[in-house]
Amino acid sequence: MTTATGRALPPKTVNAAFAGFLVSCVFAVTSIGVLVGTRDELVDALRASGTRMTEEQLQSAATITQYTFAGIALVIALVQLWLAFKLRSGRNWARILLSAFTALQIVSLFVGEGTATLPAYGGALVAGLAVVASWLPASNAYFETVKKAR
């Protein structure tokens, strides 16, 4: 399907993938909130690790860890959001990057020794479904059409 200007409109599969990646971004931002709520558990884990930090140092390390991971999660969500818009506009490189990032996201769930949160699992599931939708035949045809139009 094309517009009056001759530009290809994304099929339902690409729109579904786009929506899925938007939802996955919401899950990523939600995981930041969950991380902030686990401060006491983080301090306890640091204390149990046998470290010789004072209480003030433990609190500081927990704060630095939380801000670091929250910043990383926010950057990842923003990059994923940007790539989702590029995907919807027919950029195949964005589809490839989103597929790779989603694979890393799913693998990270199994590497973190059970530290993943429910939002992390939800975001990975939705992103995985979005990747599948972005590689369906209708999506492939759309990306090929956009490529030929350039």
Side-chain angles (χ1 to χ4, degrees):
M1 186 183 251
T2 59
T3 64
T5 60
R7 292 186 60 196
L9 289 176
K12 290 179 184 178
T13 56
V14 171
N15 287 330
F18 174 74
F21 286 120
L22 293 183
V23 170
S24 182
C25 288
V26 171
F27 275 108
V29 172
T30 303
S31 71
I32 294 170
V34 171
L35 175 66
V36 170
T38 61
R39 179 179 179 76
D40 293 337
E41 289 86 356
L42 184 56
V43 171
D44 290 342
L46 288 169
R47 193 176 289 122
S49 71
T51 183
R52 295 181 184 198
M53 291 188 210
T54 65
E55 187 61 29
E56 183 178 318
Q57 290 171 327
L58 287 170
Q59 295 294 331
S60 179
T63 300
I64 291 169
T65 301
Q66 284 183 308
Y67 281 119
T68 300
F69 283 112
I72 290 168
L74 184 60
V75 168
I76 289 170
L78 290 172
V79 168
Q80 186 178 33
L81 183 65
W82 174 70
L83 288 171
F85 278 95
K86 293 299 183 181
L87 171 104
R88 190 176 67 172
S89 70
R91 302 294 196 261
N92 191 51
W93 57 266
R95 175 171 66 159
I96 293 167
L97 285 174
L98 283 166
S99 298
F101 288 154
T102 300
L104 291 173
Q105 181 181 5
I106 291 169
V107 167
S108 74
L109 294 176
F110 301 104
V111 175
E113 298 180 17
T115 58
T117 61
L118 188 59
Y121 284 107
L125 174 65
V126 173
L129 294 172
V131 165
V132 170
S134 74
W135 289 96
L136 291 174
S139 298
N140 292 336
Y142 170 67
F143 286 102
E144 190 61 35
T145 301
V146 170
K147 182 180 175 181
K148 288 179 183 177
R150 279 189 225 147

